[in-house]
Amino acid sequence: MEKNQIHRQVALLRQSLFDQGFIDEQFVQLEELQDDTNPKFVEEVVTLYYRDSTRLIVCIEQALDKNPLDFNKLDSLMHQFKGSSSSIGARKVTAESTQFREYCKAGNGEGCMRSFQQMKKEYITLKKKLETYFQLARQVGPLDSTSRPN
Amino acid sequence: MNPSCGKGSMLTSSRKSSEVVLDQFPAGLRVLVVDDDPTCLKIVEKMLRTCHYEVTTCNRAETALASLQANRNGFDIVISDVHMPDMDGFKLLELIGLEMDLPVINSGHRAVMSADDGKQVVMKGVTHGACDYLIKPIRIEELKNIWQHVVRKRKNEWKELEQSVSIEDGGDKMQKQSEDVDYSSSANEVGNWKSSKRRKDDEDELEDKDDTSTLKKPRVVWSVELHQQFVAAVNQLGIDKAVPKKILELMNVPGLTRENVASHLQKYRLYLRRLSGVPQHQGGINASFIGTQDATFSPISSLTGLDLRALAVAGQLPEQSLSTLHAASFARPSPKSGQPVPMVDQRNIFSFNNSKFKTGEGQLQQPNLGNSNQMNLLHGIPTTMEPKQLAELHQSFENMSNMQASVCQSNSLLMHRGSTRFPPNMGQPLVSNGLPGGLLLRNISAENGRGLGGYASPVSQTTSSAALTFPMNHGPELPGSNSFPTLGSPPGIPSLTQKGPSKEDIPVNSDAKGSSAGGIIPGYYLLNDLQQLQSNDWEVRNVGLAFNSPQNTSSLTGNLENPASSLFVQQGISSGSMRNSSSGGGSKVSYLVEGTHHQNLSSIVNSSVRIKSESVADTGCQNILYTQHFGQEDLMSVLLKQQEGIAPVNPEFDLDGYSMDNIHV
């Protein structure tokens, strides 16, 4: 009973993440890779992502503090960050990264700052949501998910 | 991050691949993944495991190189990110592809800013030898088919090696191997490929031993710096004149022997050929590209990769790669400067579809069939070539002369026997960025398809990323023109046409019509008919290209008559022939249309392709590429005739100055 409820909650939460655009199709790919031999694969990947990308974010922040801004470097850092984010399916984060890169290419320092802040917000939000999601999911065991988001 | 490589699975050096894996292929494929992003690395690793591949991961290019060098046969394919901080992804690509002959797939993000960026990145990968390009985030479906690159490459290399070795060494070594290896069917030989690979590897060692001739020298590791020095020396000497002795002197590296340089040079040449369009083995591909391009091709840029793709498409590539490529937004061929069009004119030629071989064009590389959309090539009916087109062709030929080196390759392209050729990238510009020898064979789109050997389905798809699968396997036998990298000098470019019996499978010509440019370039492959070439086997050597006899058809005729003249149809027409620097009537490029013995040859001569081909037509296989300017009607009739196997051989190729006199059928 309870388990069913939790099951449902997990499913709903998952669906809402898709609906709200926090995650995308790529996340489903990860889910599909998860199996009995590796039942926490998705969570591991996301954890790895957050750990590794923290470093990148710090670098970007440092670079943004410099004056004048080194757009090439910023772009390159963000390129890497974007790659990671897109590989876990972090949609909004990826979108903001793209935006950031556009500003870099245009040499728009202001725009870079703004979009970086925005990106960070999304990044943190996603992290929280995913943490909640994983916690819940752990309670119900392997999800019968992998249903494509509508 | 740990600097070391994590081995997902053991690198089983002891594994005798052929024993274990054959049945389960592609399971057990040994993949090396290089990416500095640990998240991506983990994901890709998991995906590959799910595909039942054996995975080794590295997050640094140097460690990857080190493991590759330590265990040369330990991997079957490499997937490498193009954007890595510690080493340029492209340099790594080049080193791996060149020195180790492993197929390499690039991965990277979709270009954000503009289509051009994406295209450039992809193109760059292609020119450095990548056989595919995967856009991140990578999906498992795309990884499932990577094994095809391995098979293709092995096949091609095998042939290549075979050809070059036999040509250079008299082929005794290779011969025995070739007997054993039956490459006739591409995909079916999977079982063989491993054993072939082993054999090939053994062969390599054998060669090395022979080189040293006496004692076994410690293997030289071609590091980045050493390779750079080598490349610098080669460029300084000129690819034509680069002989091991001189290279060695220029490099001035203590402890390096002439033999080391020689074998590295051989590999480098193969690599260049591959870059240029994978001609040769690819067989048809090369040939095709030359002719078919429409003028609109964008200059050679880029297409090499695409061409390959096209080729791949034509033959074997699954669409997937192409789609990937597309994703890469390989934009259409933006004409790059450079040689452009030599092939372009070819388009017109291609309209011929049949025979147009623009041999020589091999170098053409890129003539991008330009027009990505246009590719009209052959819509079945040869379009008449306007005189100016011929002129253009002519120019292109001249350009080609610049190209050289790869010319040989083009031969292979053209020559392909029967293999239908490559659909010139239809639409996608066959950009050959001027690759040396970039043979872009772009197939000749023989629209006729029918008679002519399968048409290569145009690669229109190539639009996207250039990641062409490089080794395009087209028919099994591709003339070995390779051995002559630079035909340029000898005017008559005798390109080897390998005769190979039509084994070549003509790559599918799926009529890619739809695809971009719509042009599927029917590989001019008359080759199908040319299959007759069978008798030709590698006789390339003997080909005495009779190119030099320009302008008179008489020469052709003469040639046609005697088999001795050995036709070479070089598909790509080695630059040598192309060089017909003599513009105007001068350049006579004899392109031999391969395979088609006799009869077909005439058909091959596409009117559009005006190559002044002096080619000597071997009676046996007349691979004469005539670029004759046939009037449409004439062409049609010719084609039709050919279909019937009646090859009206028009001895009078008036190769001069592209006069499209009708060739009498």
Side-chain angles (χ1 to χ4, degrees), chain B residues 91-139:
Chain B
K91 201 181 294 181
L92 175 69
L93 183 60
E94 190 175 328
L95 280 176
I96 296 176
L98 176 68
E99 181 61 14
M100 308 188 199
D101 270 350
L102 281 178
V104 183
I105 295 178
N106 268 348
S107 67
H109 307 310
R110 189 179 299 108
V112 202
M113 302 321 295
S114 68
D116 281 345
D117 285 353
K119 184 174 69 169
Q120 277 169 22
V121 171
V122 176
M123 178 53 110
K124 196 171 175 199
V126 170
T127 64
H128 283 81
C131 55
D132 203 348
Y133 189 94
L134 297 177
I135 298 221
K136 284 184 174 179
I138 298 180
R139 296 168 355 131

Short mmCIF file of all heavy atoms in Angstrom, two decimals, chain B residues 91-139:
data_model
loop_
_atom_site.label_atom_id
_atom_site.label_comp_id
_atom_site.label_asym_id
_atom_site.label_seq_id
_atom_site.Cartn_x
_atom_site.Cartn_y
_atom_site.Cartn_z
N LYS B 91 45.12 15.71 -33.20
CA LYS B 91 46.46 15.17 -33.32
C LYS B 91 46.46 13.71 -32.88
O LYS B 91 47.08 12.85 -33.49
CB LYS B 91 47.40 15.99 -32.44
CG LYS B 91 48.84 15.86 -32.86
CD LYS B 91 49.75 16.65 -31.96
CE LYS B 91 49.52 18.15 -32.07
NZ LYS B 91 50.46 18.88 -31.19
N LEU B 92 45.75 13.49 -31.85
CA LEU B 92 45.64 12.11 -31.37
C LEU B 92 45.05 11.25 -32.46
O LEU B 92 45.50 10.14 -32.74
CB LEU B 92 44.74 12.08 -30.13
CG LEU B 92 44.44 10.70 -29.58
CD1 LEU B 92 45.68 10.09 -28.99
CD2 LEU B 92 43.35 10.78 -28.53
N LEU B 93 44.08 11.78 -33.08
CA LEU B 93 43.40 11.09 -34.15
C LEU B 93 44.36 10.72 -35.25
O LEU B 93 44.39 9.60 -35.76
CB LEU B 93 42.34 12.05 -34.68
CG LEU B 93 41.40 11.63 -35.74
CD1 LEU B 93 40.63 10.47 -35.27
CD2 LEU B 93 40.46 12.79 -36.00
N GLU B 94 45.13 11.68 -35.59
CA GLU B 94 46.06 11.45 -36.67
C GLU B 94 47.07 10.38 -36.30
O GLU B 94 47.35 9.48 -37.08
CB GLU B 94 46.77 12.76 -36.98
CG GLU B 94 47.59 12.73 -38.24
CD GLU B 94 48.16 14.13 -38.53
OE1 GLU B 94 47.48 15.11 -38.19
OE2 GLU B 94 49.26 14.20 -39.07
N LEU B 95 47.55 10.49 -35.12
CA LEU B 95 48.53 9.51 -34.70
C LEU B 95 47.97 8.11 -34.65
O LEU B 95 48.59 7.16 -35.08
CB LEU B 95 49.05 9.88 -33.31
CG LEU B 95 50.09 10.96 -33.29
CD1 LEU B 95 50.44 11.30 -31.88
CD2 LEU B 95 51.33 10.51 -34.05
N ILE B 96 46.83 8.03 -34.12
CA ILE B 96 46.25 6.70 -34.02
C ILE B 96 45.93 6.15 -35.39
O ILE B 96 46.26 5.03 -35.73
CB ILE B 96 44.96 6.72 -33.18
CG1 ILE B 96 45.27 7.11 -31.76
CG2 ILE B 96 44.29 5.35 -33.22
CD1 ILE B 96 44.03 7.23 -30.90
N GLY B 97 45.31 6.97 -36.16
CA GLY B 97 44.91 6.49 -37.47
C GLY B 97 46.10 6.14 -38.32
O GLY B 97 46.11 5.17 -39.07
N LEU B 98 47.11 6.94 -38.19
CA LEU B 98 48.24 6.76 -39.07
C LEU B 98 49.13 5.63 -38.60
O LEU B 98 49.49 4.74 -39.36
CB LEU B 98 49.06 8.04 -39.08
CG LEU B 98 50.33 7.95 -39.89
CD1 LEU B 98 49.97 7.81 -41.33
CD2 LEU B 98 51.14 9.19 -39.67
N GLU B 99 49.45 5.69 -37.38
CA GLU B 99 50.44 4.76 -36.93
C GLU B 99 49.87 3.40 -36.60
O GLU B 99 50.51 2.39 -36.74
CB GLU B 99 51.12 5.36 -35.70
CG GLU B 99 52.20 4.51 -35.11
CD GLU B 99 53.34 4.24 -36.07
OE1 GLU B 99 53.42 4.93 -37.10
OE2 GLU B 99 54.14 3.34 -35.84
N MET B 100 48.67 3.44 -36.16
CA MET B 100 48.15 2.18 -35.69
C MET B 100 47.04 1.63 -36.55
O MET B 100 46.56 0.56 -36.29
CB MET B 100 47.64 2.34 -34.27
CG MET B 100 48.72 2.96 -33.47
SD MET B 100 48.38 3.02 -31.77
CE MET B 100 49.52 4.27 -31.27
N ASP B 101 46.65 2.40 -37.47
CA ASP B 101 45.65 1.85 -38.36
C ASP B 101 44.39 1.39 -37.66
O ASP B 101 43.82 0.38 -38.03
CB ASP B 101 46.22 0.67 -39.13
CG ASP B 101 46.83 1.18 -40.40
OD1 ASP B 101 46.61 2.37 -40.71
OD2 ASP B 101 47.51 0.42 -41.07
N LEU B 102 44.01 2.09 -36.71
CA LEU B 102 42.77 1.72 -36.05
C LEU B 102 41.69 2.69 -36.50
O LEU B 102 41.96 3.86 -36.67
CB LEU B 102 42.90 1.88 -34.53
CG LEU B 102 43.61 0.79 -33.77
CD1 LEU B 102 43.68 1.17 -32.30
CD2 LEU B 102 42.88 -0.53 -33.91
N PRO B 103 40.50 2.21 -36.63
CA PRO B 103 39.45 3.18 -36.95
C PRO B 103 39.17 4.04 -35.73
O PRO B 103 39.12 3.56 -34.61
CB PRO B 103 38.24 2.31 -37.29
CG PRO B 103 38.52 0.98 -36.71
CD PRO B 103 40.01 0.83 -36.57
N VAL B 104 39.01 5.30 -35.97
CA VAL B 104 38.77 6.21 -34.87
C VAL B 104 37.47 6.96 -35.12
O VAL B 104 37.22 7.45 -36.21
CB VAL B 104 39.90 7.24 -34.75
CG1 VAL B 104 39.66 8.13 -33.55
CG2 VAL B 104 41.24 6.54 -34.62
N ILE B 105 36.71 7.04 -34.08
CA ILE B 105 35.47 7.80 -34.16
C ILE B 105 35.61 9.03 -33.29
O ILE B 105 36.03 8.93 -32.15
CB ILE B 105 34.29 6.94 -33.64
CG1 ILE B 105 34.09 5.74 -34.56
CG2 ILE B 105 33.03 7.76 -33.57
CD1 ILE B 105 32.99 4.84 -34.08
N ASN B 106 35.22 10.13 -33.83
CA ASN B 106 35.26 11.35 -33.05
C ASN B 106 33.95 11.56 -32.33
O ASN B 106 32.89 11.18 -32.84
CB ASN B 106 35.45 12.54 -33.99
CG ASN B 106 36.89 12.87 -34.16
OD1 ASN B 106 37.74 12.39 -33.44
ND2 ASN B 106 37.17 13.73 -35.12
N SER B 107 34.05 12.19 -31.21
CA SER B 107 32.78 12.56 -30.58
C SER B 107 32.89 13.99 -30.13
O SER B 107 33.97 14.47 -29.79
CB SER B 107 32.48 11.64 -29.40
OG SER B 107 33.42 11.84 -28.38
N GLY B 108 31.82 14.66 -30.13
CA GLY B 108 31.87 16.05 -29.72
C GLY B 108 30.48 16.61 -29.66
O GLY B 108 29.50 15.98 -30.02
N HIS B 109 30.44 17.81 -29.21
CA HIS B 109 29.13 18.42 -29.05
C HIS B 109 28.64 18.97 -30.36
O HIS B 109 29.40 19.33 -31.24
CB HIS B 109 29.24 19.55 -28.05
CG HIS B 109 29.86 19.09 -26.78
ND1 HIS B 109 29.45 17.97 -26.14
CD2 HIS B 109 30.91 19.57 -26.09
CE1 HIS B 109 30.21 17.81 -25.08
NE2 HIS B 109 31.10 18.75 -25.02
N ARG B 110 27.42 19.06 -30.40
CA ARG B 110 26.82 19.66 -31.59
C ARG B 110 27.28 21.10 -31.65
O ARG B 110 27.39 21.78 -30.66
CB ARG B 110 25.31 19.61 -31.45
CG ARG B 110 24.57 20.01 -32.72
CD ARG B 110 23.08 19.91 -32.53
NE ARG B 110 22.68 18.57 -32.21
CZ ARG B 110 22.25 18.20 -31.02
NH1 ARG B 110 22.15 19.04 -30.05
NH2 ARG B 110 21.91 16.95 -30.81
N ALA B 111 27.50 21.52 -32.80
CA ALA B 111 27.96 22.89 -32.90
C ALA B 111 26.86 23.81 -32.48
O ALA B 111 25.71 23.67 -32.88
CB ALA B 111 28.33 23.19 -34.33
N VAL B 112 27.21 24.68 -31.69
CA VAL B 112 26.16 25.53 -31.19
C VAL B 112 25.96 26.74 -32.02
O VAL B 112 24.87 27.16 -32.31
CB VAL B 112 26.57 26.05 -29.82
CG1 VAL B 112 25.37 26.45 -29.08
CG2 VAL B 112 27.33 25.01 -29.12
N MET B 113 27.04 27.29 -32.28
CA MET B 113 26.91 28.62 -32.81
C MET B 113 26.44 28.65 -34.23
O MET B 113 25.58 29.40 -34.59
CB MET B 113 28.24 29.34 -32.73
CG MET B 113 28.74 29.40 -31.33
SD MET B 113 27.44 29.71 -30.20
CE MET B 113 26.97 31.30 -30.68
N SER B 114 27.03 27.86 -34.99
CA SER B 114 26.62 27.98 -36.37
C SER B 114 26.88 26.66 -37.05
O SER B 114 27.65 25.85 -36.60
CB SER B 114 27.45 29.05 -37.08
OG SER B 114 28.77 28.60 -37.19
N ALA B 115 26.25 26.51 -38.09
CA ALA B 115 26.42 25.26 -38.83
C ALA B 115 27.85 25.13 -39.28
O ALA B 115 28.40 24.05 -39.33
CB ALA B 115 25.49 25.26 -40.03
N ASP B 116 28.44 26.22 -39.57
CA ASP B 116 29.80 26.16 -40.07
C ASP B 116 30.76 25.59 -39.05
O ASP B 116 31.64 24.83 -39.36
CB ASP B 116 30.29 27.55 -40.46
CG ASP B 116 29.73 27.93 -41.82
OD1 ASP B 116 29.26 27.03 -42.51
OD2 ASP B 116 29.78 29.11 -42.17
N ASP B 117 30.55 26.01 -37.86
CA ASP B 117 31.46 25.49 -36.83
C ASP B 117 31.37 23.99 -36.77
O ASP B 117 32.35 23.29 -36.69
CB ASP B 117 31.06 26.04 -35.46
CG ASP B 117 31.48 27.48 -35.33
OD1 ASP B 117 32.18 27.96 -36.23
OD2 ASP B 117 31.10 28.11 -34.34
N GLY B 118 30.16 23.56 -36.77
CA GLY B 118 29.99 22.13 -36.67
C GLY B 118 30.60 21.44 -37.84
O GLY B 118 31.31 20.44 -37.71
N LYS B 119 30.38 22.00 -38.94
CA LYS B 119 30.90 21.38 -40.13
C LYS B 119 32.41 21.34 -40.10
O LYS B 119 33.03 20.36 -40.45
CB LYS B 119 30.42 22.15 -41.35
CG LYS B 119 30.87 21.48 -42.64
CD LYS B 119 30.28 22.17 -43.83
CE LYS B 119 30.88 23.54 -44.00
NZ LYS B 119 30.51 24.12 -45.30
N GLN B 120 32.96 22.42 -39.67
CA GLN B 120 34.41 22.46 -39.65
C GLN B 120 34.99 21.43 -38.72
O GLN B 120 35.99 20.80 -39.02
CB GLN B 120 34.90 23.85 -39.26
CG GLN B 120 34.90 24.77 -40.44
CD GLN B 120 35.13 26.20 -40.01
OE1 GLN B 120 35.68 26.42 -38.94
NE2 GLN B 120 34.71 27.13 -40.82
N VAL B 121 34.36 21.31 -37.62
CA VAL B 121 34.88 20.34 -36.67
C VAL B 121 34.79 18.94 -37.24
O VAL B 121 35.72 18.15 -37.17
CB VAL B 121 34.11 20.42 -35.34
CG1 VAL B 121 34.50 19.27 -34.44
CG2 VAL B 121 34.37 21.73 -34.66
N VAL B 122 33.69 18.68 -37.80
CA VAL B 122 33.51 17.36 -38.37
C VAL B 122 34.50 17.14 -39.50
O VAL B 122 35.14 16.11 -39.63
CB VAL B 122 32.07 17.19 -38.87
CG1 VAL B 122 31.91 15.84 -39.54
CG2 VAL B 122 31.12 17.30 -37.71
N MET B 123 34.60 18.13 -40.30
CA MET B 123 35.49 18.03 -41.44
C MET B 123 36.90 17.82 -41.00
O MET B 123 37.64 17.02 -41.54
CB MET B 123 35.41 19.31 -42.25
CG MET B 123 36.34 19.26 -43.40
SD MET B 123 36.03 17.79 -44.35
CE MET B 123 35.36 18.51 -45.73
N LYS B 124 37.24 18.55 -40.02
CA LYS B 124 38.59 18.42 -39.52
C LYS B 124 38.84 16.99 -39.05
O LYS B 124 39.89 16.42 -39.25
CB LYS B 124 38.79 19.41 -38.38
CG LYS B 124 40.23 19.63 -38.03
CD LYS B 124 40.38 20.79 -37.05
CE LYS B 124 41.85 20.91 -36.64
NZ LYS B 124 42.02 21.67 -35.40
N GLY B 125 37.86 16.47 -38.41
CA GLY B 125 38.00 15.09 -37.98
C GLY B 125 38.21 14.17 -39.16
O GLY B 125 39.06 13.29 -39.16
N VAL B 126 37.45 14.42 -40.16
CA VAL B 126 37.56 13.57 -41.33
C VAL B 126 38.92 13.68 -41.95
O VAL B 126 39.54 12.68 -42.32
CB VAL B 126 36.50 13.98 -42.35
CG1 VAL B 126 36.75 13.29 -43.66
CG2 VAL B 126 35.14 13.62 -41.83
N THR B 127 39.38 14.88 -42.06
CA THR B 127 40.67 15.02 -42.71
C THR B 127 41.78 14.41 -41.87
O THR B 127 42.83 14.07 -42.37
CB THR B 127 41.03 16.49 -43.00
OG1 THR B 127 41.14 17.16 -41.76
CG2 THR B 127 39.96 17.15 -43.81
N HIS B 128 41.52 14.30 -40.62
CA HIS B 128 42.54 13.67 -39.80
C HIS B 128 42.32 12.17 -39.70
O HIS B 128 42.97 11.49 -38.93
CB HIS B 128 42.53 14.27 -38.40
CG HIS B 128 43.18 15.62 -38.35
ND1 HIS B 128 42.55 16.77 -38.73
CD2 HIS B 128 44.43 15.97 -37.99
CE1 HIS B 128 43.38 17.78 -38.60
NE2 HIS B 128 44.53 17.33 -38.15
N GLY B 129 41.40 11.72 -40.42
CA GLY B 129 41.27 10.27 -40.49
C GLY B 129 40.14 9.66 -39.69
O GLY B 129 40.06 8.45 -39.56
N ALA B 130 39.30 10.46 -39.17
CA ALA B 130 38.20 9.87 -38.39
C ALA B 130 37.24 9.17 -39.33
O ALA B 130 37.00 9.62 -40.43
CB ALA B 130 37.46 10.95 -37.62
N CYS B 131 36.69 8.13 -38.84
CA CYS B 131 35.74 7.46 -39.71
C CYS B 131 34.30 7.73 -39.32
O CYS B 131 33.39 7.25 -39.98
CB CYS B 131 36.02 5.98 -39.80
SG CYS B 131 36.09 5.15 -38.23
N ASP B 132 34.09 8.44 -38.31
CA ASP B 132 32.72 8.81 -37.99
C ASP B 132 32.75 9.93 -36.96
O ASP B 132 33.79 10.23 -36.37
CB ASP B 132 31.97 7.59 -37.43
CG ASP B 132 30.46 7.74 -37.59
OD1 ASP B 132 29.99 8.85 -37.92
OD2 ASP B 132 29.75 6.74 -37.39
N TYR B 133 31.62 10.50 -36.77
CA TYR B 133 31.53 11.57 -35.79
C TYR B 133 30.23 11.38 -35.00
O TYR B 133 29.16 11.31 -35.59
CB TYR B 133 31.50 12.92 -36.51
CG TYR B 133 31.64 14.10 -35.58
CD1 TYR B 133 32.88 14.66 -35.32
CD2 TYR B 133 30.53 14.64 -34.95
CE1 TYR B 133 33.03 15.73 -34.47
CE2 TYR B 133 30.68 15.72 -34.09
CZ TYR B 133 31.92 16.26 -33.86
OH TYR B 133 32.06 17.31 -33.01
N LEU B 134 30.38 11.30 -33.73
CA LEU B 134 29.19 11.13 -32.90
C LEU B 134 28.92 12.40 -32.13
O LEU B 134 29.82 12.97 -31.52
CB LEU B 134 29.41 10.00 -31.89
CG LEU B 134 29.63 8.61 -32.48
CD1 LEU B 134 29.90 7.60 -31.39
CD2 LEU B 134 28.40 8.19 -33.27
N ILE B 135 27.70 12.78 -32.15
CA ILE B 135 27.37 14.01 -31.44
C ILE B 135 27.00 13.69 -30.02
O ILE B 135 26.26 12.76 -29.75
CB ILE B 135 26.18 14.66 -32.14
CG1 ILE B 135 26.60 14.98 -33.56
CG2 ILE B 135 25.75 15.90 -31.41
CD1 ILE B 135 26.13 16.27 -34.04
N LYS B 136 27.47 14.50 -29.16
CA LYS B 136 27.11 14.29 -27.77
C LYS B 136 25.82 15.02 -27.49
O LYS B 136 25.60 16.12 -28.01
CB LYS B 136 28.20 14.86 -26.88
CG LYS B 136 29.42 14.00 -26.83
CD LYS B 136 30.41 14.60 -25.85
CE LYS B 136 31.59 13.71 -25.64
NZ LYS B 136 32.55 14.30 -24.72
N PRO B 137 25.03 14.53 -26.65
CA PRO B 137 25.22 13.32 -25.87
C PRO B 137 25.06 12.07 -26.72
O PRO B 137 24.19 11.99 -27.56
CB PRO B 137 24.11 13.41 -24.82
CG PRO B 137 23.07 14.28 -25.42
CD PRO B 137 23.78 15.21 -26.32
N ILE B 138 25.91 11.14 -26.45
CA ILE B 138 25.92 9.95 -27.27
C ILE B 138 24.78 9.02 -26.86
O ILE B 138 24.50 8.85 -25.69
CB ILE B 138 27.26 9.23 -27.11
CG1 ILE B 138 28.38 10.14 -27.59
CG2 ILE B 138 27.27 7.95 -27.92
CD1 ILE B 138 29.74 9.53 -27.49
N ARG B 139 24.20 8.45 -27.85
CA ARG B 139 23.12 7.52 -27.55
C ARG B 139 23.56 6.12 -27.88
O ARG B 139 24.38 5.90 -28.76
CB ARG B 139 21.90 7.90 -28.35
CG ARG B 139 21.44 9.26 -27.90
CD ARG B 139 20.41 9.92 -28.79
NE ARG B 139 20.13 9.18 -29.96
CZ ARG B 139 18.90 8.89 -30.35
NH1 ARG B 139 17.89 9.27 -29.64
NH2 ARG B 139 18.71 8.22 -31.46
#
